[in-house]
Amino acid sequence: MTHLDRKLLRDLRTIKSQALAVALVMACGLAMMVMTRSLIRSLETARSEYYARNRFAEVFAGLKRAPLSLVDEIARIDGVAAVQPGIALQVTLDIPGLPEPARAEINSVPDRAVQQLNRLHLRSGHLLGLGSRHEILVGEAFAEAHGLQPGATISAILNGRKLALRVAGVALSPEYIFESPPGAALPDNRTFGIFWMRYEEIAEAYSLKGGFNKVSLTLAPGASEKHVIAELDRMLVPYGGTGAFDRKDHPSHIRVSDEIRILQVISFGFPLVFLSVAAFMTNAVMSRQIHLQREQIAILKAFGFTDWQVGLHFFKFTLAIVSVGALLGAVGGMLLGYRLVDMYHLFFRFPRLDFLVSWGTLFGAAGASSATAFVGVAGVVKRAMRLPPAQAMRPEAPADYRPALLERTRFGARMTLSVRMALRNVQRKPWQSFLTTVALSLAAGILVIPNAFRDGIRYVLDFQWDLIQHETVSVRLVEPGPARALEDFRHLPGVVTAEPMRTVPVEFRAGSRSRRLGLVGLPANGDLTRILDAQEHPKPIPAHGVVLSRKLAEVLGVERGGLLHVRVLAEKRTEAWLPVTDLAEDFAGIIAYMDLEAMNRMLHSGDEINGARLTIAGGSWSDFLEAMKNSPRTSGVVIKEAMRDSFRKTTAESIGLLQTIYSLFATVVAFGIAYNSARISLSERQRELATLRVLGFSQAEVGGVLVMEMVILAAASLPVGLAFGSLLAGGILHSVNTETVRLPLVLTGANYAYSVLVMTLATTLSLWFACRKLNRLDLVGALKAPE
Amino acid sequence: MCVVAADSPSSAQDPLFVVRGLTKTYGDGEAAVHALVGVDLDLFPGELVVLLGASGSGKSTLLNNLGGLDTPTSGKLNYRGWSLDEADQEGLTRYRRDVVGFVFQFYNLIPSLTARENVALITEVAADPMSPDDALALVGLTDRRNHFPAQLSGGEQQRVAIARAIAKRPEVLLCDEPTGALDIHTGITVLDAVQRINRELGTLTVIITHNAAIAAMSDRVLTLSDGRLVGQKKNPQRLAVQELQW
Ligand SMILES: Nc1ncnc2c1ncn2[C@@H]1O[C@H](COP(=O)(O)OP(=O)(O)O)[C@@H](O)[C@H]1O
Ligand SMILES: [Mg+2]
């Protein structure tokens, strides 16, 4: 090691806490980036490997019933590689002790033939035996929610017959990475499960022998997906096809994609702020170092060290700080990601979800942030290189002070000495004061963002399930029925209000974009489902046309007043052009409403409904649920609180966990910035503060000058920082914009108060450290030689 | 103006430095400071020269020009036929590295390096250095070599600075008020070290001082005033530092 390097190590040791503060800020940014990008890579890899290994289909379609002979015809569609027909049916479950009615979707497994597509992954137990009876495989999420092990039994009502089904094994399927009920964006693993049963047995129970009601395809390389979907649709029309769709409309696939998109949003903007702050701080520390080492630089040059050797020395200085930051960030990000990947086991069911480090991000981000730091430092180092040696040997000209502007106001006379000195310092070095203020503003600003995430989620939880939905439950009928079916619901125990509802599966098309979902018909004067504008004011449902979630309109690329082509995918297939009469502000899921009467006219049907929304009196809740369990005509009950809970446990939980980590990092960064600012300001004032001490000022008086200056700058930085943080939070939250969730920008007083509190604490603590250092200052030493 | 005597031991050789019409002006227009105005000077190998003059008379400027820390505004500055006035930064760096040793008033040691390391820092990049320990022995600091500058007295720090300056066996040793920050007794130990090096290594040594008494230890005394060389006096016999009358 050369002696210049030895000097480097010792210099680093003297500013170790400052260097560490900078390294920590960089580490936080890097860790976040590495963590989120690695999670993205883990999810994407797990998903694509799962899809490939278990042959997840690419095109899907549901239908009423078709003979298996149709399969060969489907296989002959140009571009189809493999076809997997099957049966999928909803059954009601009877689970003792569970108050709510529960359902399962039973899927068929071929008896003898090999399952071509969507192959199962057996988690425990064994596959269904040949010719076995009353045996099922159960999806893992439901099995876990009920503690079902192979060998357990569960009662289900198959076509009106109650059967005790034996659990042969617990299984996973690429179709149900996310086990949510059809049409629902959110899972409820207690009341909805995925089962598999032998084809023969289920077909027999439902008189579907030799037929299928669900089909999945894969495409040959280079095939046109559009063409296959169109052909398949055409072919299935006579069999009650409900429309073919591809992976991007597949509910489970969408959910995983949405999660990845949220990760993508937060993997970039926020860490980038941290990394720029780190670059900024590196620059501040290095400027200060080079300034302090003016004479040392001059000496090195006087003795014949070249400009490049001097420059390299300070680059190495930077490199040391940056390396520690990169190392801490990389290791921290990997460890956090490793822990966090477990979170996804909560709601995504992969055969295995291994944590994969995104090495590209790790090296890319570490390299990029080091490069930024170096660019930031380059200017300063260049100044050191340019410093003429003779010039540097001359002590700096004494700073030229004058009374601060504020002193000339009428407050001037009442100012204490320390206030005056602090003000003069701020004014004498406006650039430096400005930079410190900027750094502190950044610190205050980044504290706002994670809490804005939290508040946004809280708002969504209230808005979606209190302001929009006022019902307790919504129930579905097995078949559409006459409007008077509503009376039956009204007479169920505990029902206070009941409003009719009709949902039909439709495909919306606007230009080249299309989307499939359930179009919900609502009564004109209804009150249980509200359409709200941005100010949370309810709007009536227009007499004609459709109302779309703003997000859905965005997905389809239509605006208010635009025309949508609507194709009904239910048995009575009709098509219509409907105007988009209004947009609804909502934050979870996407929805389309229209007036119930208008819907019935469009469907050319009488006054029909296929569901209802109900409010239930609290005391009769269990009676109501009991009655629902025994009602053969209802096919499903969606309990609002269960949905809210589900959102809380999935989307909100995953965002919440990330938000907590971010909040922690932001706090670390805020402390780092405050500490660094205090140290630099101490270092700059060291000589003059020491002189004051020599002249007989007390430690408290001298410390007061330092404190006062920081307090002035910190106070100035807060409003700027809060404004900056709000803007940034707005930008980042705005990009959390998936079909599952959108986050509104909610800025609360508590959020700002938190930022102010942390900054106050950070500044106070940093000043306390700085004052302790100041008190230990070697007065003679500080005055012995010019700075 | 005295002329260097023909029988001077040094004048028998070719001069190391030939300075002609050396002028240094800082700034321009009304604010221009004429730090040096047409200085003519020859400096010979092995000489010990003392530079006297009031504060602001241009002593440091002259020394800095001789040492390649600064370049003249006009005039000739030759070291062994090497035109320093025409040299670029790279040339000056090489010149400083190979030829010159500096000692400054405020020692300017690297605070994070020990005495020995401060010397070693320079010997590492020098062509034919002595060992840092030998250099420290020359200034009598062998037993303090592992101390940091903050643990050394002013005189000791200055002697480390001298050791650092001479460890690379420079041909020229330039000292700008080396005792300026020291008391008399400490100053003596420092000057003693300088004289010993001048004698034992035959290094051309130029010392700037305010203290005329120091002049007696030199071969030649130059006096500057307002940027001009106003006096040259040759000492027929130079005194040992201990014999100086303070
Ligand atoms: N870098 C500089 N910029 C402006 N003026 C300078 C500079 N260096 C020296 N001077 C001026 O040149 C004159 C000579 O300075 P100097 O050589 O340092 O004198 P001294 O004899 O005290 O060492 C002084 O008036 C000084 O103010
Ligand atoms: Mg001087």
Side-chain angles (χ1 to χ4, degrees):
Chain A
M1 190 180 3
T2 69
H3 285 87
L4 210 52
D5 289 338
R6 191 158 295 168
K7 162 183 178 307
L8 178 72
L9 283 184
R10 303 231 172 100
D11 287 350
L12 272 170
R13 206 177 303 153
T14 58
I15 60 155
K16 60 177 180 298
S17 48
Q18 246 179 305
L20 195 70
V22 177
L24 268 181
V25 171
M26 182 178 162
C28 284
L30 201 61
M32 249 186 286
M33 219 176 228
V34 168
M35 175 186 87
T36 42
R37 303 299 313 187
S38 298
L39 288 175
I40 291 171
R41 174 160 180 237
S42 307
L43 283 174
E44 278 177 343
T45 310
R47 181 168 73 173
S48 63
E49 279 178 1
Y50 189 20
Y51 282 0
R53 197 173 330 109
N54 293 50
R55 304 203 60 194
F56 184 49
E58 289 162 289
V59 172
F60 313 83
L63 56 149
K64 194 101 185 157
R65 181 204 169 134
L68 280 170
S69 55
L70 191 68
V71 171
D72 286 339
E73 247 178 90
I74 294 172
R76 277 199 296 273
I77 296 176
D78 186 26
V80 170
V83 185
Q84 178 66 59
I87 296 172
L89 289 162
Q90 303 261 330
V91 300
T92 303
L93 304 179
D94 183 20
I95 301 175
L98 182 71
E100 307 96 313
R103 286 173 304 142
E105 184 173 300
I106 301 197
N107 286 267
S108 64
V109 206
D111 278 71
R112 284 178 198 81
V114 181
Q115 176 124 8
Q116 288 287 334
L117 304 176
N118 306 330
R119 287 180 183 155
L120 303 186
H121 174 91
L122 190 68
R123 190 67 109 189
S124 63
H126 57 81
L127 291 172
L128 300 171
L130 206 65
S132 68
R133 288 198 68 76
H134 304 342
E135 248 190 12
I136 50 166
L137 298 173
V138 177
E140 189 181 48
F142 183 83
E144 266 176 18
H146 291 280
L148 293 176
Q149 304 279 350
T153 53
I154 185 163
S155 295
I157 296 146
L158 267 72
N159 210 5
R161 269 182 66 212
K162 186 162 169 172
L163 294 179
L165 301 174
R166 211 181 66 84
V167 177
V170 174
L172 305 179
S173 155
E175 277 187 286
Y176 303 101
I177 292 175
F178 189 74
E179 288 186 22
S180 66
L186 295 164
D188 183 0
N189 295 328
R190 282 181 333 127
T191 62
F192 181 82
I194 305 292
F195 292 179
W196 289 270
M197 199 179 226
R198 279 192 316 110
Y199 172 85
E200 295 291 337
E201 192 176 5
I202 187 169
E204 192 174 312
Y206 283 89
S207 327
L208 281 167
K209 266 191 122 123
F212 65 95
N213 71 356
K214 165 183 178 177
V215 64
S216 311
L217 321 174
T218 47
L219 303 176
S224 153
E225 194 170 81
K226 254 198 174 126
H227 165 77
V228 172
I229 289 178
E231 280 298 293
L232 184 62
D233 266 345
R234 196 186 49 76
M235 215 173 263
L236 294 180
V237 165
Y239 304 101
T242 53
F245 54 94
D246 59 11
R247 279 184 186 173
K248 71 175 191 304
D249 279 332
H250 190 280
S252 162
H253 184 85
I254 289 180
R255 264 314 305 261
V256 182
S257 302
D258 276 359
E259 194 63 41
I260 291 173
R261 279 188 58 188
I262 290 179
L263 281 171
Q264 274 164 345
V265 165
I266 46 192
S267 73
F268 203 65
F270 204 36
L272 212 61
V273 176
F274 282 23
L275 292 177
S276 3
V277 170
F280 181 79
M281 284 170 72
T282 318
N283 171 282
V285 169
M286 290 314 295
S287 299
R288 191 60 209 148
Q289 274 304 307
I290 286 173
H291 187 84
L292 282 177
Q293 299 198 11
R294 265 168 64 91
E295 281 77 27
Q296 300 188 32
I297 293 169
I299 269 295
L300 291 175
K301 289 190 169 181
F303 279 100
F305 280 85
T306 63
D307 289 353
W308 280 109
Q309 281 172 309
V310 171
L312 188 70
H313 176 64
F314 285 98
F315 262 117
K316 280 193 197 162
F317 210 125
T318 314
L319 185 69
I321 298 177
V322 164
S323 309
V324 173
L327 195 75
L328 282 179
V331 172
M334 289 196 280
L335 285 179
L336 273 173
Y338 187 74
R339 300 294 298 269
L340 226 69
V341 83
D342 278 346
M343 171 181 80
Y344 290 107
H345 290 303
L346 282 177
F347 46 100
F348 291 143
R349 302 288 165 172
F350 291 102
R352 51 187 303 178
L353 178 54
D354 293 328
F355 179 68
L356 296 176
V357 177
S358 171
W359 296 107
T361 306
L362 198 158
F363 290 112
S369 53
S370 313
T372 322
F374 281 129
V375 170
V377 167
V380 191
V381 171
K382 207 184 267 168
R383 244 189 293 142
M385 288 168 65
R386 290 238 185 92
L387 207 62
Q391 187 91 21
M393 294 309 301
R394 292 167 56 84
E396 250 188 304
D400 145 44
Y401 280 94
R402 57 175 77 102
L405 286 173
L406 271 175
E407 287 179 72
R408 284 177 236 158
T409 66
R410 59 200 178 84
F411 305 106
R414 272 182 282 154
M415 283 178 182
T416 65
L417 186 70
S418 58
V419 176
R420 281 165 200 263
M421 290 190 63
L423 278 176
R424 290 175 199 176
N425 279 338
V426 169
Q427 186 177 312
R428 179 168 67 89
K429 295 191 168 173
W431 183 238
Q432 225 139 43
S433 307
F434 172 74
L435 289 183
T436 309
T437 312
V438 168
L440 292 172
S441 305
L442 284 173
I446 51 181
L447 283 164
V448 172
I449 303 165
N451 289 338
F453 262 87
R454 182 201 57 203
D455 294 338
I457 289 173
R458 280 193 191 154
Y459 182 79
V460 171
L461 280 166
D462 291 345
F463 184 92
Q464 194 73 26
W465 287 281
D466 282 338
L467 292 175
I468 295 187
Q469 303 180 15
H470 288 252
E471 80 271 16
T472 320
V473 294
S474 65
V475 293
R476 291 281 294 270
L477 291 168
V478 179
E479 297 271 320
R484 65 193 142 67
L486 190 65
E487 289 310 306
D488 300 343
F489 288 124
R490 271 214 181 96
H491 291 120
L492 287 171
V495 173
V496 180
T497 45
E499 284 182 6
M501 163 176 92
R502 181 165 191 179
T503 310
V504 284
V506 296
E507 182 191 70
F508 286 124
R509 181 172 291 280
S512 61
R513 306 199 204 176
S514 66
R515 204 83 186 81
R516 284 161 199 272
L517 76 161
L519 175 59
V520 182
L522 295 175
N525 48 3
D527 190 44
L528 293 184
T529 297
R530 294 184 183 172
I531 298 166
L532 300 178
D533 62 17
Q535 282 71 47
E536 302 179 3
H537 297 311
K539 302 189 273 194
I541 174 104
H544 62 279
V546 287
V547 179
L548 305 182
S549 296
R550 186 172 289 284
K551 174 67 186 176
L552 178 57
E554 182 194 312
V555 168
L556 291 168
V558 287
E559 287 173 7
R560 191 197 307 254
L563 271 184
L564 268 185
H565 183 255
V566 181
R567 190 156 65 95
V568 178
L569 303 170
E571 56 274 38
K572 281 183 208 157
R573 301 175 72 97
T574 49
E575 297 186 14
W577 285 92
L578 291 178
V580 178
T581 24
D582 211 343
L583 298 180
E585 299 294 335
D586 52 8
F587 300 105
I590 49 174
I591 200 132
Y593 300 115
M594 75 185 288
D595 180 76
L596 181 55
E597 283 177 23
M599 176 184 266
N600 279 329
R601 275 198 306 278
M602 179 179 80
L603 295 171
H604 309 296
S605 73
D607 232 359
E608 285 190 352
I609 64 173
N610 70 352
R613 297 186 195 254
L614 313 171
T615 55
I616 315 292
S620 321
W621 182 231
S622 48
D623 293 342
F624 169 80
L625 289 176
E626 197 50 42
M628 283 309 298
K629 285 176 96 167
N630 299 322
S631 157
R633 291 182 49 220
T634 54
S635 74
V637 179
V638 176
I639 299 165
K640 183 177 80 175
E641 281 312 317
M643 284 297 107
R644 193 206 302 257
D645 220 46
S646 170
F647 181 83
R648 197 180 276 139
K649 283 190 194 135
T650 55
T651 308
E653 166 116 3
S654 78
I655 295 180
L657 203 55
L658 291 168
Q659 175 262 325
T660 308
I661 293 175
Y662 281 25
S663 177
L664 194 82
F665 281 180
T667 310
V668 170
V669 170
F671 270 87
I673 293 176
Y675 180 71
N676 200 46
S677 303
R679 280 298 302 272
I680 287 185
S681 145
L682 171 66
S683 149
E684 272 162 3
R685 308 278 173 263
Q686 189 146 325
R687 275 183 64 74
E688 79 197 48
L689 296 179
T691 313
L692 283 180
R693 292 274 290 122
V694 170
L695 293 181
F697 287 91
S698 72
Q699 286 186 349
E701 283 168 322
V702 172
V705 177
L706 189 70
V707 169
M708 198 47 75
E709 195 184 326
M710 268 295 272
V711 167
I712 291 172
L713 297 183
S717 73
L718 279 177
V720 183
L722 296 183
F724 164 77
S726 309
L727 272 178
L728 204 64
I732 293 181
L733 263 70
H734 185 72
S735 37
V736 175
N737 183 354
T738 65
E739 291 180 30
T740 317
V741 64
R742 276 84 62 194
L743 287 182
L745 178 61
V746 180
L747 293 165
T748 60
N751 187 351
Y752 289 143
Y754 176 78
S755 169
V756 172
L757 183 76
V758 170
M759 285 313 293
T760 310
L761 259 175
T763 313
T764 311
L765 266 175
S766 308
L767 280 171
W768 181 71
F769 276 117
C771 285
R772 261 188 18 170
K773 269 208 132 48
L774 187 62
N775 294 346
R776 281 190 259 125
L777 205 66
D778 168 18
L779 298 184
V780 186
L783 295 177
K784 197 151 64 179
E787 190 183 289
Chain B
M1 193 176 289
C2 291
V3 176
V4 176
D7 60 353
S8 156
S10 45
S11 61
Q13 294 162 286
D14 289 338
L16 268 187
F17 285 97
V18 177
V19 180
R20 292 293 177 269
L22 184 67
T23 297
K24 179 72 188 181
T25 309
Y26 291 107
D28 48 58
E30 296 230 330
V33 178
H34 302 284
L36 291 176
V37 188
V39 173
D40 298 331
L41 179 66
D42 290 337
L43 292 169
F44 295 91
E47 253 192 320
L48 198 160
V49 177
V50 162
L51 204 52
L52 289 177
S55 179
S57 57
K59 305 181 297 289
S60 296
T61 307
L62 177 57
L63 203 77
N64 288 344
N65 275 283
L66 288 174
L69 281 179
D70 214 342
T71 45
T73 312
S74 66
K76 289 263 152 256
L77 175 53
N78 254 282
Y79 168 79
R80 287 191 189 279
W82 185 354
S83 295
L84 297 179
D85 48 292
E86 287 164 1
D88 56 6
Q89 279 309 315
E90 207 178 307
L92 286 179
T93 302
R94 197 148 36 82
Y95 167 71
R96 291 199 301 266
R97 174 182 294 205
D98 297 341
V99 177
V100 194
F102 285 102
V103 175
F104 299 99
Q105 178 176 0
F106 291 110
Y107 337 130
N108 297 84
L109 300 177
I110 306 287
S112 55
L113 297 180
T114 63
R116 195 180 173 284
E117 288 164 351
N118 260 286
V119 179
L121 178 70
I122 306 304
T123 56
E124 248 168 34
V125 294
D128 173 32
M130 61 180 84
S131 83
D133 290 328
D134 289 347
L136 284 169
L138 269 175
V139 296
L141 275 179
T142 303
D143 50 342
R144 309 302 302 270
R145 64 183 164 201
N146 289 326
H147 289 65
F148 283 93
Q151 299 167 314
L152 298 172
S153 73
E156 286 166 336
Q157 288 187 51
Q158 192 61 299
R159 281 188 282 155
V160 175
I162 294 169
R164 178 177 65 181
I166 53 93
K168 64 180 179 192
R169 305 180 204 277
E171 271 183 283
V172 184
L173 178 61
L174 303 175
C175 311
D176 193 344
E177 302 193 36
T179 59
L182 302 173
D183 63 76
I184 294 169
H185 294 290
T186 323
I188 286 173
T189 62
V190 169
L191 291 174
D192 190 40
V194 173
Q195 195 178 48
R196 199 165 139 204
I197 280 149
N198 170 260
R199 209 170 41 230
E200 292 182 11
L201 305 181
T203 312
L204 163 63
T205 306
V206 182
I207 306 175
I208 292 180
T209 180
H210 280 305
N211 191 337
I214 293 176
M217 70 181 272
S218 68
D219 296 312
R220 205 150 49 114
V221 184
L222 306 176
T223 310
L224 275 178
S225 174
D226 283 337
R228 281 168 236 272
L229 194 58
V230 294
Q232 287 209 41
K233 191 181 118 219
K234 192 180 159 278
N235 281 335
Q237 190 177 12
R238 62 186 217 190
L239 296 182
V241 173
Q242 279 75 16
E243 298 166 317
L244 295 179
Q245 305 289 309
W246 297 85

